[in-house]
Amino acid sequence: MTIQSPWTRSRPLFIQAPMEDVTDTVFRQMLLHTAPPDIFFTEFTNVEGVFSEGGANVVHRLQHTEAEKPLIAQIWGHKPENYYNGAQYAKKHGFAGVDINMGCPKKEVINKGLCAAMIDNHDQARKVIEATIRGASDGGDVIPVSVKTRLGVKSVTIDSWIPFLLSFDIAAITLHGRTAKEMSKVPAHWDLIAKAVRMRNRLKPSVVMIGNGDVSDRKDGLEKIRVYNVDGVMIGRGLLENIYAFDVDPTRNERLTISEKAFLLLKHLDIFEATWNHQDAFQKKAYTLKKYYKIYINSFDGASDLRTSLMAANSLVETRAILSKYVSR
Ligand SMILES: Cc1cc2nc3c(=O)[nH]c(=O)nc-3n(C[C@H](O)[C@H](O)[C@H](O)COP(=O)(O)O)c2cc1C
């Protein structure tokens, strides 16, 4: 049986980008509370890690609630058999799909031939995609497989890479409009994303093509969808600037009162506590938690001072006490 694929949802699609140490279950629940996307993604999760002895330190990346739907598990790693296992795991744990990371540009990852490096190593990419498709299909339900990738490693190679990807039974490609070498340092090349869409139209129109790179919010996304003909857009850093980026009125963020902003962060703290329900969660995850403060506490006189005092707080109790002064009753 094939479960309802998130990629068949009505277009255009607005998708939350996977972001390590950001798009965990807590943040996704905040998006449900504010302005949810059509499709959620997990952070990228290493398939060697999940199935190793220290798996507990990795598998939290796949933790989710029933409400975060549809949710796609993004995986990366080395051995094809682990991709197979990763896809099987995703299927058993209620994910709506599994996505292969072929875009991460980190040097230490590329040097090992992983993630974006596979753009230049079609043999390895083939093994990984085929193993993932088998894992997503063997036994019971079938979940769709997608690939998130870039324009190339050192130079643009979409002329060979996109047709190669389209030769597999994948549901979607998300194309980040930069090479790995470009990291995020130059504006995304949307003209090249449009070129990839034209290849898709010619070679395999059934594969969904999502554009990614510098989309600030839904309004900007709608414009890029119109101009570049993608089926949807994926938004990453835009969410760090605007938690309402997916809202039909993304300017909603600009009208939030200080009290509403403080309330949103309090809500985030509540979900954080309910999710990582152990006493030292704050100490262990303070670094990650504190990264979110700027998303909520910004753009008003005194925001920077408030963030400074929040950063200095040593417990959830202390953090809440600081914030509660800003919430009007
Ligand atoms: C903090 C951070 C973490 C990221 N982690 C991932 C990841 O786990 N998997 C992935 O495919 N891309 C990751 N990316 C890349 C984003 O998904 C996205 O492709 C990139 O930021 C460009 O989109 P944007 O301009 O909308 O941010 C990350 C980006 C950022 C800023």
Side-chain angles (χ1 to χ4, degrees):
M1 191 177 89
T2 302
I3 62 154
Q4 179 68 36
S5 166
W7 299 108
T8 60
R9 296 192 110 188
S10 63
R11 298 173 198 180
L13 292 165
F14 287 90
I15 303 175
Q16 166 248 302
M19 287 188 283
E20 184 180 27
D21 285 341
V22 179
T23 58
D24 63 0
T25 175
V26 178
F27 186 70
R28 293 191 302 261
Q29 289 176 65
M30 282 305 293
L31 289 178
L32 280 173
H33 179 73
T34 50
D38 295 313
I39 302 177
F40 292 95
F41 267 66
T42 66
E43 310 163 67
F44 76 158
T45 303
N46 183 277
V47 285
E48 267 78 40
V50 171
F51 302 108
S52 69
E53 262 182 36
N57 295 326
V58 180
V59 85
H60 65 87
R61 290 176 178 232
L62 298 178
Q63 187 165 327
H64 62 282
T65 59
E66 271 296 297
E68 299 152 52
K69 273 195 167 138
L71 174 62
I72 292 180
Q74 195 194 53
I75 56 176
W76 71 287
H78 177 60
K79 292 187 179 159
E81 61 261 37
N82 288 327
Y83 281 87
Y84 176 93
N85 294 334
Q88 287 264 301
Y89 181 98
K91 208 159 68 146
K92 282 189 196 124
H93 290 81
F95 289 90
V98 59
D99 185 79
I100 305 171
N101 182 316
M102 292 190 166
C104 179
K106 285 185 192 165
K107 242 195 192 131
E108 61 271 28
V109 168
I110 297 264
N111 288 345
K112 288 184 191 145
L114 310 176
C115 296
M118 284 191 273
I119 299 172
D120 280 347
N121 184 350
H122 289 199
D123 263 0
Q124 174 69 3
R126 176 188 309 284
K127 287 178 193 149
V128 162
I129 296 171
E130 286 178 349
T132 308
I133 290 175
R134 274 200 309 280
S137 318
D138 280 357
D141 296 337
V142 177
I143 57 170
V145 174
S146 53
V147 171
K148 180 168 181 280
T149 190
R150 290 188 176 237
L151 299 173
V153 182
K154 288 191 174 144
S155 60
V156 175
T157 52
I158 51 173
D159 286 348
S160 57
W161 179 233
I162 297 297
F164 172 79
L165 288 178
L166 290 170
S167 71
F168 297 94
D169 188 14
I170 55 173
I173 297 172
T174 301
L175 188 57
H176 178 183
R178 299 180 176 95
T179 62
K181 191 176 167 199
E182 288 174 331
M183 308 287 283
S184 285
K185 290 178 185 156
V186 299
H189 307 287
W190 276 85
D191 51 329
L192 294 173
I193 295 177
K195 185 178 177 195
V197 172
R198 289 195 295 276
M199 289 182 202
R200 182 283 310 263
N201 293 347
R202 216 172 46 245
L203 297 169
K204 208 173 193 181
S206 59
V207 174
V208 173
M209 187 68 87
I210 303 298
N212 170 237
D214 305 334
V215 181
S216 53
D217 57 28
R218 178 180 290 265
K219 189 162 167 275
D220 181 29
L222 282 171
E223 181 62 7
K224 290 203 163 63
I225 289 161
R226 188 183 68 75
V227 176
Y228 301 104
N229 281 317
V230 283
D231 299 308
V233 291
M234 177 179 266
I235 301 182
R237 289 165 303 166
L239 288 168
L240 310 180
E241 304 289 324
N242 180 1
I243 190 82
Y244 285 96
F246 288 115
D247 201 276
V248 283
D249 176 13
T251 63
R252 196 171 159 182
N253 203 45
E254 295 163 19
R255 294 189 299 281
L256 292 176
T257 63
I258 298 175
S259 170
E260 286 167 334
K261 289 178 186 199
F263 187 79
L264 281 176
L265 180 49
L266 280 168
K267 176 95 187 161
H268 191 118
L269 298 178
D270 287 349
I271 302 173
F272 174 89
E273 190 174 30
T275 302
W276 314 120
N277 188 17
H278 49 88
Q279 286 200 326
D280 56 351
F282 184 85
Q283 307 305 338
K284 271 194 175 161
K285 287 183 164 279
Y287 168 72
T288 316
L289 177 66
K290 289 179 178 181
K291 283 206 279 192
Y292 294 101
Y293 294 175
K294 201 161 179 208
I295 298 180
Y296 308 108
I297 307 299
N298 60 45
S299 309
F300 60 88
D301 285 346
S304 170
D305 289 344
L306 173 53
R307 282 202 307 273
T308 304
S309 47
L310 290 169
M311 294 302 274
N314 282 318
S315 66
L316 282 175
V317 173
E318 210 182 308
T319 311
R320 285 193 178 106
I322 297 169
L323 280 170
S324 61
K325 291 184 211 138
Y326 290 81
V327 179
S328 45
R329 309 202 177 258

